[in-house]
Amino acid sequence: KKGKKNQAEKLEDLKKELKIDDHTIPLEELCARYGLKNAETGLTNDVAAARLEKEGKNQLTPPPTKPEWLKFLEQLFGGFATLLWVGAVLCFIAYGVQANEEDASQDNLY
């Protein structure tokens, strides 16, 4: 349970809106915030490797995907398909009612 709680907290952190002001602050303040000594040369290899280890790669997380079987079921029972299923069931019910009569036609089987 602790792992799920920690994972839920991480998910909530990802959902929070980011407040980024890096593009509005002066260059000196930006360098101080990120620990840069010289904006011209950037990070040293050691600092860059340490940040990569700590924060991970600078990449977007892929969006969650639905399993294929769930997509199939949504197509099978969602939207207009539901009306078609209801119509099919009503046709079988009507045929069942008519099948008890002597001169039952098979008009309700399609």
Side-chain angles (χ1 to χ4, degrees):
K1 287 189 174 183
K2 190 173 186 179
K4 285 190 176 190
K5 184 177 180 183
N6 192 13
Q7 193 174 27
E9 288 174 359
K10 287 181 182 179
L11 185 60
E12 287 302 317
D13 286 341
L14 288 174
K15 288 181 182 177
K16 290 181 184 175
E17 204 167 314
L18 295 175
K19 294 181 181 176
I20 300 173
D21 63 347
D22 292 346
H23 60 287
T24 60
I25 61 175
L27 182 61
E28 295 79 25
E29 187 179 336
L30 183 67
C31 289
R33 181 182 293 178
Y34 291 109
L36 291 173
K37 294 183 177 139
N38 185 355
E40 303 263 334
T41 59
L43 297 173
T44 63
N45 289 337
D46 296 335
V47 173
R51 283 196 185 177
L52 180 63
E53 182 69 31
K54 178 184 171 192
E55 298 170 10
K57 290 185 175 183
N58 185 17
Q59 63 186 12
L60 297 174
T61 56
T65 59
K66 288 184 182 180
E68 293 298 321
W69 64 271
L70 188 58
K71 290 180 190 177
F72 174 73
L73 289 179
E74 285 177 349
Q75 291 297 317
L76 192 62
F77 297 111
F80 184 70
T82 304
L83 292 174
L84 294 174
W85 282 110
V86 170
V89 169
L90 289 175
C91 283
F92 279 112
I93 290 172
Y95 175 74
V97 169
Q98 282 184 348
N100 294 334
E101 298 176 8
E102 290 179 9
D103 60 343
S105 67
Q106 296 186 358
D107 290 341
N108 290 324
L109 279 180
Y110 56 90

